């Protein structure tokens, strides 16, 4: 009886001691989780603030500009009336809209095709690792490293109708001068050539890095199977470069859509709007007149944002399908 009583007397003590010993680990774990969460938020805070200040807020302001009738006075005082989609309707009805849309599409498509094709050809060429390969590769990076204002000014001088070296070279082979920058037939071609020259090094660097990740054993196996150089490129190199090519084309697309410096410095969108794109048109509407049209200019800028967003979503969807397959 005494033994049973002792056991019963000890049971609550054990239970109480066990219950008393269990909470400290739970509280310490909770404190560890909380401190870890605070540390994570502390690391995320700079990025969050940066995105909010330099991305989210400008996008919000641009959207607000496009939905209100802003003048210089109302822009300062902040009392612009809400007009809804009136600015977008004004942009779509403007006679400049269709030419600017066509120029933007042609400029973007031609630049992307030639930048990617030339960059891929140079990447395959430099992948042979011949003597002076690294030196020549570094020289090809010069157009990418130069400030855009320097590159655009250089091309403006080279394509000048009176004193340009391009017309001088054409004259040397018996071809008459071409009004590269002052002719509506050639102005868009001129800015396309300049932008291709600037964008090729980026494609070269990214695609060359992608080539470095392809195992040499695959080329050796293809050569043993009797594949020639073209077949090795088409059956081995090109398929394995698809992920790198996709991101290269997407980044090139986003960059080319918003190209402004080259066109504005070389032609200012002219003559007669022959080289006007959405980027230059948006600037002309918002800042190029004595009476700026902030609302329509912001609307044109938002069209560029939507176009880049659509292509980005298409890229994400394609990548997801490839990952599932």
């Amino acid at each position: 009886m005494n033994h049973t009583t002792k056991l019963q007397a000890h049971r609550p003590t054990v239970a109480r001691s066990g219950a008393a010993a269990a909470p400290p680990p739970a509280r310490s774990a909770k404190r560890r989780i909380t401190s870890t969460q605070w540390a994570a938020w502390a690391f995320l805070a700079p990025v969050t603030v940066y995105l909010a200040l330099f991305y989210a807020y400008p996008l919000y302001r641009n959207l607000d500009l496009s939905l209100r009738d802003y003048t210089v006075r109302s822009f300062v005082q902040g009392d612009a009336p809400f007009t809804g989609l009136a600015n977008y309707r004004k942009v779509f009805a403007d006679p400049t809209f269709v030419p600017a849309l066509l120029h933007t599409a042609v400029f973007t498509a031609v630049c992307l095709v030639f930048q990617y094709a030339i960059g891929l050809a140079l990447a395959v060429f430099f992948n042979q690792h011949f003597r002076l390969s690294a030196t020549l590769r570094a020289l090809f990076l010069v157009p990418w490293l130069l400030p855009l204002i320097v590159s655009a000014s250089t091309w403006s001088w080279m394509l000048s109708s009176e004193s340009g070296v391009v017309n001088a070279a054409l004259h040397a082979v018996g071809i008459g001068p071409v009004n590269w920058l002052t002719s509506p037939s050639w102005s868009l071609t001129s800015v396309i050539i300049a932008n291709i020259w600037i964008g090729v090094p980026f494609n070269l660097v990214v695609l060359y890095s992608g080539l470095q990740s392809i195992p040499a054993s695959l080329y050796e196996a293809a050569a043993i199977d009797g594949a020639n150089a073209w077949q090795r490129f088409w059956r081995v190199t090109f398929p394995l470069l698809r992920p790198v090519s996709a991101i290269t084309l997407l980044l090139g697309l986003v960059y080319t859509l918003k190209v402004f410096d080259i066109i504005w410095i070389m032609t200012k969108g002219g003559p007669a709007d022959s080289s006007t794109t959405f980027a230059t048109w948006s600037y002309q509407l918002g800042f190029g007149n004595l009476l700026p049209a902030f609302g329509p200019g912001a609307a044109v800028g938002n069209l560029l944002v939507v176009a880049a967003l659509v292509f980005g979503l298409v890229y994400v969807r394609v990548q997801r399908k490839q990952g599932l397959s």
Side-chain angles (χ1 to χ4, degrees), residues 241-311:
L241 273 181
R242 282 179 183 172
V244 179
S245 298
I247 191 63
T248 303
L249 290 173
L250 176 64
L251 293 176
L253 173 69
V254 173
Y255 168 79
T256 309
L257 278 174
K258 65 183 184 64
V259 167
F260 166 78
D261 315 67
I262 301 298
I263 302 174
W264 189 256
I265 294 173
M266 292 181 65
T267 65
K268 288 185 171 56
D273 293 333
S274 58
S275 58
T276 295
T277 62
F278 277 173
T280 59
W281 189 29
S282 176
Y283 179 83
Q284 286 175 335
L285 290 171
F287 304 98
N289 301 311
L290 293 176
L291 295 176
F294 293 118
V300 175
N302 285 332
L303 294 179
L304 284 176
V305 173
V306 170
L309 180 62
V310 167
F311 284 108

Side-chain angles (χ1 to χ4, degrees), residues 1 63 150 162 176 230 232 307 312:
M1 187 69 179
L63 181 62
V150 175
E162 293 80 16
W230 171 252
R232 289 196 297 271

Side-chain angles (χ1 to χ4, degrees), residues 38-274:
W38 277 111
W41 279 110
F43 281 109
L44 287 175
V47 178
T48 305
V49 172
Y50 174 80
L51 292 176
L53 288 179
F54 296 100
Y55 285 89
Y57 179 72
L59 285 175
Y60 162 74
R61 286 292 296 155
N62 204 58
L63 181 62
D64 181 68
L65 281 172
S66 68
L67 298 177
R68 296 180 182 274
D69 184 18
Y70 272 96
T71 61
V72 176
R73 184 188 62 81
S74 61
F75 186 82
V76 176
Q77 297 181 354
D79 57 349
F82 182 80
T83 58
L85 299 178
N87 288 321
Y88 291 91
R89 290 193 293 267
K90 186 183 299 183
V91 165
F92 291 143
D94 196 297
T96 309
F97 175 77
V98 174
L101 176 62
L102 293 177
H103 296 158
T104 303
V106 171
F107 180 83
T108 304
V110 175
C111 287
L112 279 181
V113 170
F114 279 91
Q115 286 174 355
Y116 177 79
I118 298 173
L120 179 59
L122 290 173
V124 173
F125 174 72
F126 286 119
N127 198 40
Q128 306 303 316
H129 300 292
F130 55 89
R131 184 178 296 181
L132 297 180
S133 173
T135 303
L136 292 176
R137 210 165 57 242
L139 291 176
F140 269 99
L141 292 178
V142 171
W144 192 32
L145 300 176
L146 288 175
L148 288 177
I149 188 172
V150 175
S151 301
S153 301
T154 303
W155 275 100
S156 297
W157 169 74
M158 291 173 59
L159 297 176
S160 174
S161 302
E162 293 80 16
S163 58
V165 295
V166 175
N167 276 345
L170 293 177
H171 178 73
V173 296
I175 301 176
V178 177
N179 297 321
W180 296 99
L181 305 177
T182 57
S183 171
S185 303
W186 287 100
S187 59
L188 185 61
T189 303
S190 301
V191 295
I192 286 175
I193 293 173
N195 193 65
I196 290 173
W197 180 78
I198 293 171
V200 164
F202 171 76
N203 287 260
L204 166 61
V205 170
V206 178
L207 295 173
Y208 180 81
S209 64
L211 288 175
Q212 298 300 300
S213 64
I214 300 178
S217 58
L218 296 178
Y219 294 106
E220 296 172 359
I224 293 174
D225 291 338
N228 56 32
W230 171 252
Q231 289 172 333
R232 289 196 297 271
F233 170 79
W234 189 250
R235 301 292 183 180
V236 178
T237 303
F238 195 70
L240 293 178
L241 273 181
R242 282 179 183 172
V244 179
S245 298
I247 191 63
T248 303
L249 290 173
L250 176 64
L251 293 176
L253 173 69
V254 173
Y255 168 79
T256 309
L257 278 174
K258 65 183 184 64
V259 167
F260 166 78
D261 315 67
I262 301 298
I263 302 174
W264 189 256
I265 294 173
M266 292 181 65
T267 65
K268 288 185 171 56
D273 293 333
S274 58

